[in-house]
Amino acid sequence: MIRRLAFLLPAGLALLAGLDAALMLLGVWAPVAGDDLPELHGILMVFGFLGTVIALERAVALARPTGFLAPGLLGLGAIAVLTPAPLIVGQLALLAGSLALTVLYIPLFRRNLDDAILVQAIGAALLAGAGLMWIGGAPVSGLIGWLTGFVVLTISAERLELARVSISAPATRIFRLLVSVFVLALLASLLWPAVGGPVLGISLLSLVAWLVGNDVARKTVRAPGQTGFIGACLLAGYVWLAVAGLIWTLGGPITSGRGFDAVVHAVFLGFALSMIMAHASVILPAVLRIRLPYHPGFWIPAGLLHISLILRIGIGDGLDLGWATQLGGVLNVLAVLGFAIVAASSAIAATKKRTGSVARRSEPTR
C-alpha cells in the first residue's frame, strides 16, 4: 500500500496546487501565491491529477513493475513544473509519462483484444499529443479539445468495460463508430476550427447519448446506498458533458471568455470529478489496498459540486454575472476538498475499526 501511495502523493499535490491556482484565477484569496501558478491550472489538474490517477489504476491492472513508469513520470512532471527548474523539464516528464501510459495499454490490449482498452489507448495518445503541442508553444487553451478527448475516451471506455455483459454487439459497433467520429472531429477542429468545432460538439453529444442509453446508471440511480450514489453521480456527469457538447455545437471553437470557462468546468469538474466521486469507494481500495466504505456523507460534497456548477456555469457564465462565477468557483474548490476529507475520514475510520477487530480476535482467552 505504501509504495502505491507514493505514486498517488504527487497527484494529490497537483490537485492542491491546481485548486490553489483556481482561486487565484477567480481573484480571491489563495493559500499560496505564485506568478506562474494560474497558467499551470489546467496542466496540473489534467496531467498531474487525473493523468496520474488513471495511470496508477492502469498500472495496478497490468500488475508489472514497468507499468508504474507512467504514473511515476506524470507525478514527477507535475512536481517539476511547480519547482524553479526550467519548465521544459516538467514538460518533457509529462510527455514521457503520457507516452508511457499509451504504451502501457499494449500488453493490456493483448490480454483479450478488448475494444475498450484500445479506446483508452487512443485517449492516452491524445494526452501525449497535447503534451507535445504544449512543448511546441501551443497555449493551454488550445489543448482543451485534446485533454477533453483523453478524459472522455478513458471514462467512456471504462463504462463500456463495466457494462460489457449487458451491451449488445450492435451497440458496441455504434460505440466504435462514435469514437472514430469524435477523434476525426478533434483532428478537423485543428485544421478547420470553424467547421470542426461544431462537428466536435455534435460527436460529443452523440457519445453522451450512447452512454446514457447503455449505462445501467439509469436503473441503479433509484437504488439505496452506494449503488444509488454511483448512479446519480454518473448521470449528473453525463448531463455536464452534454452541456459542453452543446456549447461547442452552438458556439464553435472557443478559447477564451465565458463559453470557454463553461466548457472547461463542465468537462473536467462536472463530468470527470463526478465520475471520480462515483467510483472512489470502488477503485481506490483496489489500487491502494485500503478500505474505503461508502458513507452517506459522500452526498454532501457531490451535491455541492453540482450546485456550485449550476451557479458558476448556468448563472455566472450564462448570464455574465461575475459574482456568481466567482462564488461558484470557490464552492467548486470546497466541494472537491470536502469529498477528499469525507473519503479520507471514511478510510481512516474503517482502518481503525478493522485494526481494533483484529486486536480483539488476537487477545488470548482466559
Side-chain angles (χ1 to χ4, degrees), residues 36-115:
D36 298 329
L37 195 55
E39 298 179 3
L40 297 172
H41 171 60
I43 296 297
L44 290 168
M45 295 298 288
V46 182
F47 280 89
F49 174 61
L50 291 174
T52 302
V53 170
I54 291 171
L56 180 59
E57 191 271 334
R58 294 288 85 185
V60 170
L62 181 62
R64 295 181 188 174
T66 53
F68 290 89
L69 183 63
L73 286 170
L74 286 167
L76 289 175
I79 293 175
V81 299
L82 292 171
T83 67
L87 182 61
I88 188 64
V89 175
Q91 289 178 318
L92 289 174
L94 292 174
L95 174 60
S98 304
L99 292 172
L101 176 59
T102 306
V103 173
L104 185 154
Y105 283 108
I106 295 177
L108 287 174
F109 179 71
R110 286 176 176 171
R111 285 182 180 177
N112 51 14
L113 304 180
D114 193 345
D115 290 341

Side-chain angles (χ1 to χ4, degrees), residues 116-318:
I117 300 298
L118 182 59
V119 172
Q120 291 177 45
I122 295 173
L126 293 177
L127 183 68
L132 185 60
M133 288 188 289
W134 187 40
I135 291 176
V140 177
S141 60
L143 308 177
I144 294 304
W146 291 68
L147 298 178
T148 296
F150 163 63
V151 170
V152 170
L153 294 187
T154 300
I155 295 176
S156 298
E158 288 179 347
R159 295 309 301 167
L160 176 64
E161 278 187 293
L162 294 172
R164 177 71 71 187
V165 176
S166 61
I167 295 179
S168 64
T172 303
R173 287 194 291 269
I174 293 174
F175 179 78
R176 293 184 206 139
L177 176 61
L178 293 175
V179 168
S180 300
V181 172
F182 177 79
V183 174
L184 290 175
L186 186 58
L187 296 174
S189 66
L190 283 179
L191 302 174
W192 310 285
V195 177
V199 174
L200 181 62
I202 293 172
S203 65
L204 185 57
L205 287 172
S206 301
L207 194 55
V208 172
W210 186 94
L211 289 167
V212 174
N214 291 277
D215 202 311
V216 295
R218 291 184 296 111
K219 299 178 181 178
T220 60
V221 69
R222 302 183 182 90
Q226 181 180 17
T227 302
F229 174 76
I230 292 175
C233 287
L234 292 174
L235 292 180
Y238 294 148
V239 170
W240 288 115
L241 193 58
V243 169
L246 186 62
I247 294 173
W248 261 334
T249 301
L250 299 177
I254 301 173
T255 57
S256 63
R258 293 180 291 135
F260 179 76
D261 182 85
V263 167
V264 167
H265 295 96
V267 171
F268 298 107
L269 283 181
F271 176 66
L273 260 298
S274 187
M275 295 296 166
I276 288 177
M277 289 181 176
H279 295 114
S281 59
V282 177
I283 293 178
L284 284 180
V287 171
L288 298 179
R289 295 175 179 172
I290 62 173
R291 295 189 66 199
L292 179 55
Y294 162 79
H295 190 279
F298 285 172
W299 282 99
I300 298 174
L304 179 60
L305 174 67
H306 297 293
I307 292 172
S308 63
L309 284 170
I310 292 173
L311 178 62
R312 176 174 191 159
I313 296 174
I315 300 177
D317 293 330

